Amino acid sequence: MNTTQKNYSLQPLRGMKDHLPSEQERYRQIQNICIQTAQCFRYQEVSTPLIENIEIFSKTVGEDIIGKELYQFKDKGDNSVALRPEGTAGIVRLALNANLLTSLPLRLCYHGPMFRYERPQKGRFRQFHQCGVEFFGEKSPQAELEIIQMADMILKKLNIQTKLLINTIGDEESRRHYKTALVQYLKPFQKELSPESQTRLLKNPLRILDSKSTQDKKILESAPLPKNFLNKNSKIFYDQVLSLLSKNNISCQQTDFLVRGLDYYSDTVFEFTSSELGAQNAVLAGGRYDQLIEMMGGRPCPAIGWACGLERLALLSSLESVQKLTVAVLSTSEELNDTAFKIASDLRFQGFIVYLPNMQNPFKKQMKTAHKASCSHVLILGTEEWKEGKIILKNMKTGQQTLLDKNLNHFKLSP
C-alpha cells in the first residue's frame, strides 16, 4: 500500500475543519477577548445544547435557512431535531424555560459551534464557531449604543479594521407598509429576478434587498427604500440611535438595503464589515428583535444582540499570540527524580505550565529537550545545591541563573 496516498475516508467532511494546537490557541484567545469584554458590560455567560427541537428554529429563523441550510434529522425517539444554525433562538428558549425574563433587564453572552449546510467560503464553514450577546428588556437608543460599543471595542482589541453599516427596517407597522410597497414594485420584474429571489418574493420579500445577484441589484436600484416607510416612532428612535453613536465617536455608514438574514429582526440592524473577505464580508452583525420572545411563546419583550464568527475574526486579526511562560523541571541525578516529579506536580497544581522531560535521559539531553520544547525557564535539581537546600532557576532567554530556596516559596516566573 502506498502510505503517501490520502485515505479520504479519514478526511473531515466538506465544510468541516480540524483545529491544530496553534489554531485552537488562537481561537481560545479571541473567544476570551469576546466573552471577557462582554462581562465588563455585566453580561453573564450561558450555554445551550448543540441539538434542539426543530420547532425552535422553524418558528424563528426563516424559510431560507430551514429549507436549504439546516442540519435536520429524526433521532432514535422519532423526534424532529436540528443542529443549531445560530445562537439567539436557543438563548431565548433558555431564558423562557428558566424564567429569567421575569427580572429585567437581562444581559447574556455565549459561545460555541453552529452548523449550516452552505457552500464553504473564505472564513466560512459548515461547522463554525460564534460568540454572541443578547440584551433583553430595554428598548432605548442606549441599548443600541451599549451593544454596538461593545462590538466596536472587541474588534479594536483584536486589531481588526472594519466599517460599521447600519439601517432600520422599522417596527412591525412600518415593515408591513414597506413590504406591500416592495412587492408591488417587484411584481412586474418577477420573472427577471434570480430563482432565489422569486421564491423570497412570495415568502419574505425583505430578504431580496440582501441579494448578492447582479440582476437583482440592478432591479433594486429604483426600488422603494425602507426609510421612506418608517412611522413617526421608528424614525425618531433611529435618529436617536444615530445621534448617540455620533456623540460617542462611533462612526457608521447608513445603508438603505441592509436587512440581515434572519426573519426575526426589527428596527435597528447593523454589520461590521471587512474589505478582506470578498462578497460575504460581515465580521460581526446583529440587530433588534422585539417580537421574537412573543413568537416563541413568551410575553412581549424588547431585545437586541449580535454574533461574530471566530473563524473570520481569526482570519483578520493581527493580534499576536500570547507567549506563555513554561518551566521545565530537570534532575541531574537519579536520586532526585522522584523529587522532580513532586515539584512538577505541585507547580501544576498552582497553575504553572510545566514540562517534565524523560528523567531516564542524561541531564544534557534533558536540557536539550527543554530547549526544543521552547521552555522559558528551567528548574535544575543539582545534587550539591539540593544538599544546601537550594534549587537553580535558569532563564532560557537571558541565560541568567538564580539560586532559590528548595521549598519554592512565593515562586514566580518573569520574562
Side-chain angles (χ1 to χ4, degrees):
M1 178 179 176
N2 184 355
T3 56
T4 62
Q5 185 178 356
K6 284 186 177 180
N7 185 340
Y8 286 99
S9 65
L10 298 180
Q11 300 303 304
L13 295 173
R14 184 169 186 251
M16 309 292 183
K17 188 178 187 299
D18 294 324
H19 295 155
L20 299 176
S22 60
E23 294 174 299
Q24 190 64 29
E25 181 64 29
R26 185 169 177 79
Y27 283 6
R28 178 72 66 189
Q29 185 182 6
I30 291 171
Q31 174 187 295
N32 288 345
I33 287 173
C34 291
I35 297 300
Q36 288 167 8
T37 304
Q39 289 172 337
C40 289
F41 286 76
R42 299 193 71 236
Y43 284 67
Q44 298 174 292
E45 186 178 353
V46 293
S47 65
T48 62
L50 300 184
I51 302 176
E52 296 269 15
N53 188 305
I54 197 169
E55 289 184 9
I56 296 296
F57 307 115
S58 61
K59 290 181 177 180
T60 58
V61 301
E63 293 285 344
D64 279 2
I65 291 176
I66 294 297
K68 297 189 303 181
E69 299 180 9
L70 198 68
Y71 278 90
Q72 53 185 303
F73 53 95
K74 293 270 189 155
D75 67 9
K76 292 185 177 181
D78 203 36
N79 301 300
S80 294
V81 298
L83 299 178
R84 62 187 184 192
E86 56 92 38
T88 301
I91 298 296
V92 171
R93 180 201 51 72
L94 174 151
L96 289 170
N97 283 356
N99 293 318
L100 299 181
L101 298 177
T102 58
S103 180
L104 297 172
L106 174 68
R107 294 170 169 87
L108 300 176
C109 60
Y110 64 90
H111 65 83
M114 310 292 166
F115 303 84
R116 291 193 191 183
Y117 192 87
E118 57 185 349
R119 184 171 63 86
Q121 300 174 53
K122 186 177 182 180
R124 190 169 187 164
F125 301 92
R126 289 176 174 173
Q127 177 179 322
F128 55 100
H129 298 76
Q130 282 189 341
C131 286
V133 298
E134 315 293 353
F135 183 3
F136 301 102
E138 187 175 304
K139 183 167 184 177
S140 71
Q142 186 175 330
E144 259 81 346
L145 172 65
E146 177 179 305
I147 214 96
I148 292 174
Q149 190 177 55
M150 186 198 313
D152 184 63
M153 192 177 294
I154 287 170
L155 294 170
K156 285 177 178 174
K157 287 182 179 181
L158 294 173
N159 297 327
I160 298 176
Q161 299 296 318
T162 59
K163 178 167 62 176
L164 171 59
L165 307 180
I166 193 167
N167 190 26
T168 179
I169 53 177
D171 60 13
E172 190 174 5
E173 180 189 48
S174 301
R175 289 197 311 282
R176 186 170 62 250
H177 292 315
Y178 177 62
K179 282 182 182 179
T180 300
L182 182 62
V183 170
Q184 286 177 350
Y185 170 79
L186 291 173
K187 275 286 187 182
F189 302 100
Q190 184 169 0
K191 293 183 179 180
E192 299 172 41
L193 291 169
S194 65
E196 188 174 47
S197 289
Q198 289 182 34
T199 302
R200 287 175 172 174
L201 185 61
L202 302 174
K203 296 181 178 179
N204 187 356
L206 283 184
R207 289 295 314 280
I208 298 175
L209 301 179
D210 200 35
S211 173
K212 302 297 185 286
S213 164
T214 303
Q215 63 197 76
D216 291 346
K217 287 182 178 180
K218 189 170 183 179
I219 292 171
L220 289 169
E221 286 176 358
S222 301
L225 302 176
K227 66 182 180 183
N228 295 330
F229 291 82
L230 298 178
N231 59 26
K232 183 178 179 181
N233 289 339
S234 288
K235 188 175 187 312
I236 290 173
F237 185 81
Y238 185 50
D239 288 343
Q240 290 174 335
V241 169
L242 294 176
S243 175
L244 204 53
L245 291 174
S246 177
K247 288 176 182 177
N248 284 271
N249 300 315
I250 298 177
S251 60
C252 61
Q253 177 182 319
Q254 296 184 61
T255 307
D256 292 327
F257 287 159
L258 179 63
V259 294
R260 298 292 303 128
L262 302 174
D263 285 0
Y264 51 63
Y265 283 111
S266 61
D267 284 299
T268 312
V269 289
F270 60 89
E271 289 183 349
F272 285 84
T273 64
S274 168
S275 59
E276 297 180 34
L277 289 174
Q280 299 290 343
N281 60 357
V283 177
L284 181 153
R288 181 163 287 283
Y289 51 95
D290 292 343
Q291 283 76 49
L292 180 59
I293 291 89
E294 192 173 6
M295 287 168 59
M296 293 182 65
R299 295 180 179 179
C301 177
I304 185 171
W306 56 250
C308 58
L310 296 190
E311 284 80 1
R312 292 191 180 187
L313 295 181
L315 193 63
L316 295 169
S317 176
S318 60
L319 193 68
E320 293 184 3
S321 298
V322 176
Q323 297 298 314
K324 296 183 178 180
L325 301 179
T326 301
V327 59
V329 181
L330 314 184
S331 169
T332 61
S333 68
E334 188 175 344
E335 291 76 15
L336 290 173
N337 285 354
D338 289 343
T339 304
F341 294 145
K342 185 178 185 308
I343 288 175
S345 179
D346 290 343
L347 291 176
R348 286 166 177 158
F349 189 81
Q350 294 173 48
F352 290 95
I353 301 173
V354 179
Y355 173 73
L356 197 62
N358 186 344
M359 290 296 176
Q360 293 180 338
N361 290 331
F363 173 72
K364 285 186 177 180
K365 190 166 185 180
Q366 291 180 43
M367 180 66 82
K368 186 176 181 180
T369 56
H371 179 75
K372 188 176 180 180
S374 300
C375 296
S376 59
H377 300 74
V378 291
L379 281 171
I380 303 171
L381 280 67
T383 304
E384 295 302 319
E385 289 83 4
W386 190 258
K387 288 178 181 178
E388 296 174 6
K390 300 294 182 181
I391 190 170
I392 301 169
L393 174 66
K394 180 176 181 178
N395 186 313
M396 296 289 275
K397 183 177 180 181
T398 65
Q400 181 179 359
Q401 293 191 173
T402 309
L403 280 177
L404 305 177
D405 184 275
K406 70 177 182 179
N407 294 321
L408 296 177
N409 295 325
H410 310 296
F411 177 70
K412 62 181 181 179
L413 299 176
S414 57

